[in-house]
Amino acid sequence: MTDDLNYDDRHTAFLEALWGEGYLSPGGPDEVARVLDGVRVRGAEALDIGCGSGAITLALVRAHGAAKVTGIDVEAPVCAQARRRVREHGLSEQVKIIEVEPGPLPFDDSSFELVFSKDSIIHIPDKEALAAEAFRVLRPGGWFAASDWLISHDGPPSPAMSAYIAQEDLDFVMASPRRYHAAFVAAGFEAVNLVNRNRWYLDVARSELEALRGPRRQEFESVAGHDLVAYNIETWRMMIGVLETGEHCPHHIRARKPD
């Protein structure tokens, strides 16, 4: 299932059918709110790393009160969808979508009060560089708040995890909680905190697989095709296996730049 893009229009349509319009990762608005719980968003200038098709970027303004949000992504199709969504909601003055190249963030030092990401930094291989760049573009007192898919340990993944990652075929580069914590401390952050969401997503993933196999299967096939749905049923089956062992462990990640 190799494509030039991780998230072409057909894959995006499938994920939105499963997770909600504009959402390319699980949990919807409720999980976004949990990632941001206790972080000051209202009135902030925010960066959304890996904005995808834009629903979360808009929610940072519409539901959480951010003053301005810049959403960035590396893939043109999802950026186009996000820009369309911004126009449709009349938020072009508050929300900007930028297609970027992998690498350093194209922003000046101290540009944002919040750096946010929802299940996107799994595609960034160098977690230490990510932490350093987030620290650089944040203003003093600003927060990094994200969710991401992690592996429970350092070192090579188990055969089951390797097979699952290969099945996903989405350029996943998973890191351990220990590596993330060390990266953010080394970058200069304080109050670095990671929360394991494995039990939550195990339950969610089981429900998702039931939906894919059950009466909603025709709905998914109508937007993504029989072959892609069948492929993802196998992907979910393999994913649940490594969620059950705890090796696949989604986390919330939070850190503060000192004043």
Side-chain angles (χ1 to χ4, degrees):
M1 295 292 292
T2 300
D3 294 295
D4 292 334
L5 297 169
N6 283 328
Y7 299 98
D8 61 21
D9 289 344
R10 192 162 67 113
H11 285 78
T12 300
F14 168 78
L15 295 175
E16 290 188 350
L18 183 63
W19 288 326
E21 183 180 353
Y23 286 84
L24 304 183
S25 64
D30 291 343
E31 184 66 358
V32 173
R34 286 187 285 264
V35 173
L36 292 169
D37 185 35
V39 174
R40 186 182 69 82
V41 184
R42 187 164 299 280
E45 293 188 40
L47 173 65
D48 181 9
I49 296 177
C51 65
S53 56
I56 296 173
T57 316
L58 292 177
L60 292 173
V61 172
R62 301 178 71 207
H64 299 280
K68 292 185 178 180
V69 182
T70 301
I72 61 172
D73 210 293
V74 299
E75 297 198 352
V78 292
C79 286
Q81 293 177 36
R83 291 187 188 105
R84 185 195 70 241
R85 191 165 271 119
V86 170
R87 290 193 300 270
E88 289 173 349
H89 286 86
L91 289 174
S92 297
E93 294 298 315
Q94 291 174 272
V95 179
K96 180 184 294 186
I97 305 296
I98 302 175
E99 182 184 347
V100 299
E101 295 292 327
L105 296 170
F107 305 106
D108 293 337
D109 296 356
S110 302
S111 292
F112 303 99
E113 293 153 295
L114 170 66
V115 173
F116 173 87
S117 184
K118 176 73 167 67
D119 302 331
S120 294
I121 55 177
I122 191 171
H123 299 294
I124 299 175
D126 192 335
K127 312 304 183 185
E128 292 74 20
L130 164 70
E133 278 294 281
F135 189 89
R136 181 184 67 80
V137 302
L138 276 170
R139 295 171 187 158
W143 283 90
F144 177 89
S147 62
D148 197 35
W149 288 13
L150 278 62
I151 186 170
S152 62
H153 58 87
D154 296 313
S158 69
M161 188 65 144
S162 294
Y164 159 66
I165 293 170
Q167 174 76 6
E168 284 278 15
D169 195 22
L170 289 174
D171 299 330
F172 281 177
V173 185
M174 289 183 170
S176 69
R178 186 213 63 79
R179 183 178 173 192
Y180 267 114
H181 189 278
F184 278 84
V185 169
F189 283 96
E190 62 183 16
V192 181
N193 186 48
L194 285 86
V195 177
N196 193 335
R197 299 286 287 157
N198 169 273
R199 293 296 99 184
W200 167 77
Y201 191 51
L202 176 57
D203 290 342
V204 170
R206 286 168 172 163
S207 298
E208 291 167 350
L209 181 57
E210 184 178 346
L212 291 173
R213 286 173 165 168
R216 292 188 62 199
R217 181 165 181 167
Q218 187 173 358
E219 172 194 343
F220 294 117
E221 290 181 349
S222 70
V223 298
H226 172 83
D227 60 332
L228 185 59
V229 173
Y231 187 88
N232 277 293
I233 286 173
E234 178 62 11
T235 302
W236 255 250
R237 185 193 67 77
M238 296 171 72
M239 178 174 65
I240 288 169
V242 289
L243 284 166
E244 287 174 339
T245 67
E247 189 173 15
H248 181 354
C249 52
H251 272 67
H252 292 173
I253 306 167
R254 187 176 296 176
R256 182 179 180 273
K257 182 172 182 175
D259 292 323

